Amino acid sequence: MSFGCSNYGQLNKMARLPKLLDEVSGIEKVKGKDLFWMHNDGGNKNEIYLVDVVGNIIRTVQIKAKNEDWEDITSDDEGNLYLADFGNNENRRKDLKILKIKFNDVMTKNTVEVEKIKFEYPEQHKFPPKKRKRFFDAESIVHANGYLYIFTKSRVKKDYGKTSLYKIPATKGKYEAQLLGTFEHCSKMRCWITAASITNDGKKVALLTSDKVLLFTNFEADNFFNGKRTEIDLGFVSQKEAIDFNDDNTQLYITDERAHGKGGNLYSFNLSK
């Protein structure tokens, strides 16, 4: 699929992000404000950035934890942040964790401590497993009702669209993640699930790929995959790796990484289209 540099399909470009966020992999809107927490993925600084709607970084917070592979960010009703340090490209890691950052700390301090929520996948027995069983990477997380929900990313050739949903408590400790369900939506690399978001009322879940949003509704309890799934074609392919709902659940915010002269933008998408 080929598009001109200014063609953003169904997305509305809100801002060009600064070079410091070239590898942005997570976005979380601050409730009640036109501000977003953003971070880069593995190999970058252990910092998160408060960004306004035109792409200006207005605050930088250093996290007292290494950026092994930060892949997504979410928050709870109190505004506490959860930073997903569980990128696992080779399926080798035994130190998967989510970093909890207290709301008061992140809003008032330039350097913050974290609480570590550690977990493992009980279905994984070898590190790494054989290539045909490498289903234990992940880039996506949401918080709901005191739990964290992890959406995996398949590294298995011709099975890239397979995604499993796991659940762990959103409190400090070490856990075996509980498998809730699995779905498959296509086999190509562009079908990788790279980010997730849930509405404030917990009734809609959005998963992101390089060219689509998968919207889940009418599910029972917290098995988000057992409801209705709607695929929204965004109209162009880029390295999209972050997504979040706005406060009233009427639109989505999406970012993509800057690569090959493209991307590096903050977009919005109107769900009423």
Side-chain angles (χ1 to χ4, degrees):
M1 190 178 296
S2 176
F3 293 87
C5 294
S6 61
N7 187 329
Y8 301 115
Q10 296 197 67
L11 297 182
N12 171 53
K13 180 183 172 182
M14 297 174 62
R16 181 75 165 168
L17 294 175
K19 189 171 180 57
L20 190 59
L21 282 162
D22 272 1
E23 296 186 23
V24 60
S25 64
I27 180 174
E28 181 68 12
K29 186 180 182 299
V30 179
K31 291 181 176 62
K33 299 181 182 295
D34 290 329
L35 298 170
F36 308 90
W37 287 110
M38 297 187 190
H39 64 83
N40 291 309
D41 61 12
N44 288 282
K45 293 181 179 180
N46 54 325
E47 296 175 341
I48 60 174
Y49 308 96
L50 194 60
V51 182
D52 65 20
V53 293
V54 293
N56 297 313
I57 295 175
I58 61 173
R59 180 170 165 73
T60 298
V61 179
Q62 185 178 45
I63 309 302
K64 285 192 173 181
K66 184 179 179 180
N67 184 348
E68 294 283 356
D69 199 352
W70 296 355
E71 290 293 358
D72 204 358
I73 190 169
T74 188
S75 65
D76 59 25
D77 293 339
E78 297 176 353
N80 301 310
L81 297 176
Y82 299 85
L83 191 53
D85 186 2
F86 51 43
N88 192 18
N89 292 3
E90 302 298 325
N91 284 222
R92 293 179 184 273
R93 289 184 64 178
K94 295 184 180 181
D95 62 344
L96 303 173
K97 55 191 172 289
I98 296 154
L99 310 176
K100 181 178 180 179
I101 308 164
K102 293 181 180 178
F103 172 75
N104 287 338
D105 289 349
V106 81
M107 297 305 292
T108 61
K109 299 178 181 179
N110 294 326
T111 303
V112 298
E113 302 280 353
V114 300
E115 294 180 3
K116 294 182 180 180
I117 303 168
K118 302 177 182 179
F119 71 96
E120 59 186 27
Y121 302 109
E123 291 76 21
Q124 182 173 7
H125 306 293
K126 293 184 178 181
F127 300 84
K130 293 181 179 179
K131 289 185 177 180
R132 68 176 184 276
K133 294 184 178 181
R134 293 185 184 179
F135 295 107
F136 302 103
D137 191 12
E139 295 192 4
S140 312
I141 188 174
V142 300
H143 177 282
N145 301 316
Y147 289 91
L148 294 163
Y149 296 87
I150 300 157
F151 302 84
T152 62
K153 175 182 176 182
S154 169
R155 289 284 177 176
V156 178
K157 189 175 182 179
K158 296 184 179 180
D159 210 359
Y160 292 119
K162 183 175 180 179
T163 301
S164 295
L165 171 63
Y166 285 90
K167 172 183 179 179
I168 60 172
T171 54
K172 182 180 178 180
K174 187 171 183 178
Y175 306 97
E176 281 195 352
Q178 178 187 354
L179 179 62
L180 297 181
T182 299
F183 88 98
E184 299 181 39
H185 81 106
C186 81
S187 61
K188 299 178 181 179
M189 289 179 69
R190 61 180 172 80
C191 306
W192 274 340
I193 300 302
T194 58
S197 184
I198 190 169
T199 53
N200 294 330
D201 60 11
K203 293 184 178 180
K204 295 179 182 178
V205 169
L207 301 184
L208 182 66
T209 74
S210 63
D211 64 348
K212 287 183 174 64
V213 170
L214 310 180
L215 191 64
F216 294 83
T217 56
N218 300 323
F219 41 79
E220 297 177 5
D222 57 3
N223 186 352
F224 309 128
F225 295 159
N226 68 14
K228 177 183 177 183
R229 185 175 87 233
T230 303
E231 294 194 12
I232 302 169
D233 190 340
L234 298 178
F236 73 106
V237 175
S238 67
Q239 197 167 337
K240 301 179 185 72
E241 295 208 359
I243 191 170
D244 198 27
F245 283 97
N246 70 341
D247 289 345
D248 63 7
N249 311 326
T250 59
Q251 67 179 358
L252 290 163
Y253 300 109
I254 292 170
T255 65
D256 53 9
E257 291 191 14
R258 187 174 286 113
H260 311 296
K262 297 182 180 180
N265 299 317
L266 168 65
Y267 310 92
S268 65
F269 174 75
N270 188 343
L271 284 167
S272 65
K273 286 185 178 181

